[in-house]
Amino acid sequence: MIAILFYLTGFAQYSTTTLQTDSTKVEITKNSEYRIWEETYLHKDSIFYSVRYIKDTTKIHTEGWFRKNEQYMGKWSKYKIDGTWLYTIDYDKHTWKYNKKEFKYQPLKDQIKTKADTILLNIFGKEFFDNNIVFNFDGSTSFNRLKTCKKGTYWMQDPYLGSWIEPIHQKPNTFSISYDVKLSDHELYNDLIFLELDSVGKLKEKSLILTKINHAQKGKFTITKEKAIEICKQNTLKKSNREYKTYLKFGHRANTPYTGTFFYEVVQQYEEVKDENEIIRFFNIWRFNPWSTKLLSKKQMKKEYRLYDGCLTSSNFIEVKE
């Protein structure tokens, strides 16, 4: 059985078509440049994504596979409309190759990334770096300079030059580099480590970098979603049939139990109370040391959501005292 839904905006150059079968859902989006084919397999954790050029749909722009949590899988390649290969990323091995003729400044970016890697090795140690840190190809480059005007001299950031995996046509002097933290091949937490470096690879003062972890905590993470949920089931709180959601977090706030370190959180909603302007949701929350998988705490907590002027605001987690 196939169901077809068609949506066309007021602009003729943009349209979306949806094709539905018993096993897949396909969304075809067209704009002035690309035709985007996104095929979701309903009973599998996989999505096929293909982008082709509108001017010639036989020409591939990029395509590959990712999971329903938006984690990329396997090899993805990108091409210009004339068929020129730009790059290939292997998301399973976390490596990439690029066209040296198109990426004039990539050797410089590679040198800066090596310095960023060294910074993280010094902070976290080799075992953590090798097992848990993943470069996510999502950084960027820019060019900053001093500008003089009648009122004086000030530091100016010129327009963004391009992402880490785009060919750029000007030598950058500022580099933003982002890393994910991996717990297993299927559990990845995006953009938890972010570095900003100057033209020689020195960490900039305002760079958002994680506080050095305690020496006793150096080493690879042992926790995984499966291990944590099993421990949660053995340490029950309020009974619930809802799914367990997991998060890897870093304690940024001062005067909290996890300041300056990672902690792992499992959240399960067990109740919801509504009235006209307020929603209160109740949760079971377990927190773990991700290095040792030790259960640090288990609490019942709530979040309050209120409607003000058409906007829904929420509180932080509040412990439920019984």
Side-chain angles (χ1 to χ4, degrees):
M1 179 179 178
I2 300 176
I4 302 177
L5 301 174
F6 181 72
Y7 171 71
L8 182 64
T9 69
F11 301 94
Q13 67 210 29
Y14 180 90
S15 66
T16 299
T17 305
T18 300
L19 312 175
Q20 184 88 44
T21 72
D22 292 337
S23 59
T24 65
K25 177 183 176 182
V26 176
E27 289 188 357
I28 305 169
T29 303
K30 296 180 181 180
N31 57 36
S32 58
E33 291 187 73
Y34 306 113
R35 188 210 69 174
I36 303 165
W37 175 287
E38 186 171 335
E39 185 171 4
T40 303
Y41 289 77
L42 304 179
H43 306 297
K44 296 180 180 179
D45 185 24
S46 56
I47 298 171
F48 176 68
Y49 191 82
S50 177
V51 181
R52 293 173 182 260
Y53 289 95
I54 285 292
K55 290 182 180 179
D56 183 350
T57 55
T58 67
K59 301 292 186 180
I60 296 173
H61 172 64
T62 186
E63 67 179 20
W65 292 83
F66 57 91
R67 296 189 174 90
K68 291 178 180 177
N69 64 0
E70 298 184 355
Q71 181 180 333
Y72 288 81
M73 300 186 296
K75 292 182 179 181
W76 286 66
S77 296
K78 188 172 182 179
Y79 304 86
K80 295 168 69 172
I81 193 168
D82 62 5
T84 300
W85 169 73
L86 292 174
Y87 63 79
T88 299
I89 296 176
D90 187 328
Y91 284 98
D92 294 338
K93 296 180 179 178
H94 310 294
T95 59
W96 81 307
K97 296 179 181 179
Y98 56 86
N99 186 331
K100 294 180 180 179
K101 292 182 179 179
E102 297 287 331
F103 286 79
K104 178 181 178 181
Y105 292 105
Q106 199 62 40
L108 172 61
K109 290 192 280 185
D110 290 343
Q111 291 173 19
I112 298 297
K113 180 189 173 294
T114 298
K115 294 185 178 182
D117 290 348
T118 301
I119 291 170
L120 297 182
L121 277 163
N122 291 335
I123 292 173
F124 294 104
K126 189 174 188 307
E127 189 175 16
F128 186 92
F129 184 87
D130 289 344
N131 288 278
N132 298 117
I133 292 181
V134 176
F135 177 63
N136 71 1
F137 305 100
D138 196 30
S140 62
T141 55
S142 59
F143 181 78
N144 298 339
R145 63 187 174 91
L146 286 172
K147 186 173 183 179
T148 302
C149 61
K150 290 181 180 180
K151 294 182 178 180
T153 300
Y154 63 96
W155 191 251
M156 175 181 175
Q157 181 165 321
D158 279 356
Y160 161 85
L161 295 180
S163 76
W164 203 264
I165 54 175
E166 285 180 311
I168 58 175
H169 306 290
Q170 180 180 347
K171 185 178 180 179
N173 66 3
T174 301
F175 304 83
S176 300
I177 305 179
S178 187
Y179 296 83
D180 303 332
V181 177
K182 181 181 76 169
L183 300 187
S184 71
D185 290 339
H186 303 290
E187 191 174 5
L188 197 70
Y189 294 89
N190 296 328
D191 302 323
L192 281 181
I193 302 174
F194 173 81
L195 306 178
E196 189 172 75
L197 295 93
D198 65 14
S199 60
V200 295
K202 184 180 178 181
L203 192 65
K204 299 187 78 171
E205 288 184 8
K206 294 184 179 179
S207 179
L208 176 61
I209 184 170
L210 305 177
T211 306
K212 287 188 178 182
I213 61 175
N214 297 329
H215 178 74
Q217 292 177 319
K218 283 192 174 180
K220 66 180 181 181
F221 284 159
T222 62
I223 200 164
T224 63
K225 182 174 184 175
E226 293 75 18
K227 287 181 183 179
I229 290 175
E230 186 58 36
I231 294 171
C232 293
K233 289 177 180 178
Q234 296 168 10
N235 290 267
T236 57
L237 291 163
K238 282 285 186 178
K239 187 175 180 180
S240 174
N241 293 323
R242 292 178 181 261
E243 68 174 315
Y244 295 89
K245 295 183 178 181
T246 58
Y247 306 91
L248 181 65
K249 297 183 176 182
F250 187 80
H252 289 287
R253 295 184 180 179
N255 302 319
T256 64
Y258 312 112
T259 301
T261 189
F262 285 107
F263 65 97
Y264 190 80
E265 190 172 81
V266 181
V267 178
Q268 182 189 44
Q269 185 178 330
Y270 65 83
E271 188 178 354
E272 181 174 276
V273 178
K274 294 182 180 181
D275 64 22
E276 186 176 351
N277 294 311
E278 184 179 59
I279 302 171
I280 303 176
R281 292 176 180 153
F282 295 86
F283 302 89
N284 297 319
I285 297 183
W286 298 263
R287 286 174 177 166
F288 294 83
N289 178 332
W291 282 272
S292 66
T293 315
K294 180 183 177 181
L295 179 62
L296 299 174
S297 67
K298 56 177 183 176
K299 295 179 180 179
Q300 293 165 233
M301 305 186 86
K302 65 180 180 180
K303 264 193 173 185
E304 298 174 352
Y305 301 81
R306 290 187 175 87
L307 192 64
Y308 289 109
D309 296 328
C311 297
L312 193 65
T313 63
S314 66
S315 69
N316 292 321
F317 279 119
I318 302 167
E319 187 171 358
V320 177
K321 303 290 187 180
E322 292 190 346

